[in-house]
């Protein structure tokens, strides 16, 4: 599926995306354990910017947030009062490869998006991270994830979704990252229970 068609699918969901607080809570939980003071944070497939804005608590020098969907990014930029110092740069572009120099990033974030990027994301994340840089991503459970409608066509078939925390951490370690760990993040909003794996790892 080409970029324009993919972008159009996500454009169509942008208007109501922020009504679902689950994605914001995933982004907050991903950022929470990361060290302060990074020079450059890359937010891969930022959507409406939850992880990019969450990353501001790390006091970064700058954040580059990239998404394929112009409508998603328009929604993200509309919340710019959350970034009074204008540390975030928003860019419409495919998330893989990221439009960043090799070894330039201290942190790579990917919240609620890996299932649309596939296995190609991992070597690109290693490319853009400096040695010792931190990777933080969420990944859906292979047991629970059942894409439907137009989104089912957007999920690459090259990534085996994990069924437990060990398999989730292994996604990072098998891609060459070190000190990989994973935990289950669950939200019960009274109507349904949703969970993803949060994975943190370090570039060698």
């Amino acid at each position: 599926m080409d970029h324009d068609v993919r972008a159009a699918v996500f454009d169509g969901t942008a208007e109501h995306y922020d009504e679902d607080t689950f994605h914001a809570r995933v982004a907050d939980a991903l950022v929470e354990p990361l060290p302060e003071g990074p020079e450059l944070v890359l937010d891969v497939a930022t959507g409406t910017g939850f992880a990019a804005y969450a990353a501001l608590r790390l006091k970064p020098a700058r954040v580059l947030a990239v998404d394929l969907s112009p409508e998603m990014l328009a929604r993200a930029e509309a919340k710019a009062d959350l970034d009074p110092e204008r540390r975030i740069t928003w860019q419409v572009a495919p998330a893989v490869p990221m439009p960043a120099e090799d070894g330039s990033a201290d942190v790579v974030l990917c919240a609620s998006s890996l299932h649309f990027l596939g296995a190609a994301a991992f070597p690109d994340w290693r490319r853009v991270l400096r040695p010792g840089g931190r990777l933080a991503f969420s990944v859906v459970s292979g047991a629970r994830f059942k894409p439907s409608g137009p989104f089912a066509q957007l999920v690459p078939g090259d990534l085996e979704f994990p069924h437990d925390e060990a398999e989730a951490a292994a996604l990072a370690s098998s891609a060459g990252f070190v000190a990989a760990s994973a935990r289950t993040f669950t939200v019960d909003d009274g109507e349904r229970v949703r969970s993803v794996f949060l994975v943190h790892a370090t570039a060698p």
Side-chain angles (χ1 to χ4, degrees):
M1 188 178 293
D2 69 28
H3 291 324
D4 291 343
V5 176
R6 293 173 69 90
V9 174
F10 291 109
D11 283 348
T13 67
E15 182 179 358
H16 299 291
Y17 192 80
D18 286 9
E19 295 170 10
D20 182 353
T21 61
F22 181 68
H23 301 300
R25 294 169 74 172
V26 168
D28 286 341
L30 270 181
V31 168
E32 194 270 331
L34 296 172
E36 287 191 356
E39 182 69 25
L40 173 62
V41 176
L42 301 180
D43 183 17
V44 180
T46 187
T48 59
F50 289 130
Y53 285 116
L56 293 176
R57 76 182 61 152
L58 303 177
K59 303 178 174 63
R62 57 197 181 98
V63 178
L64 173 61
V66 171
D67 201 276
L68 194 63
S69 164
E71 288 296 322
M72 286 283 199
L73 280 185
R75 297 272 164 184
E77 290 192 74
K79 297 181 280 189
D81 57 342
L82 299 172
D83 179 22
E85 297 175 333
R86 298 296 186 264
R87 296 186 185 193
I88 304 173
T89 299
W90 307 98
Q91 185 171 341
V92 177
V96 179
M98 277 294 281
E101 296 291 322
D102 295 4
S104 63
D106 300 287
V107 175
V108 164
L109 296 173
C110 183
S112 305
S113 301
L114 177 60
H115 51 288
F116 295 124
L117 303 178
F122 289 99
D124 194 55
W125 295 344
R126 278 199 61 183
R127 176 187 68 82
V128 296
L129 278 167
R130 63 166 178 78
R134 301 294 295 276
L135 171 64
F137 65 91
S138 64
V139 61
V140 295
S141 163
R144 303 172 70 103
F145 183 55
K146 303 289 185 286
S148 59
F151 288 103
Q153 302 171 47
L154 300 179
V155 178
D158 63 354
L159 190 63
E160 191 81 28
F161 297 119
H163 288 74
D164 56 33
E165 292 172 356
E167 289 183 4
L171 288 175
S173 55
S174 64
F177 291 90
V178 298
S181 63
R183 71 179 181 93
T184 305
F185 179 77
T186 303
V187 172
D188 180 353
D189 64 7
E191 293 185 9
R192 58 176 170 162
V193 178
R194 286 188 287 176
S195 66
V196 294
F197 299 111
L198 305 182
V199 181
H200 291 84
T202 301

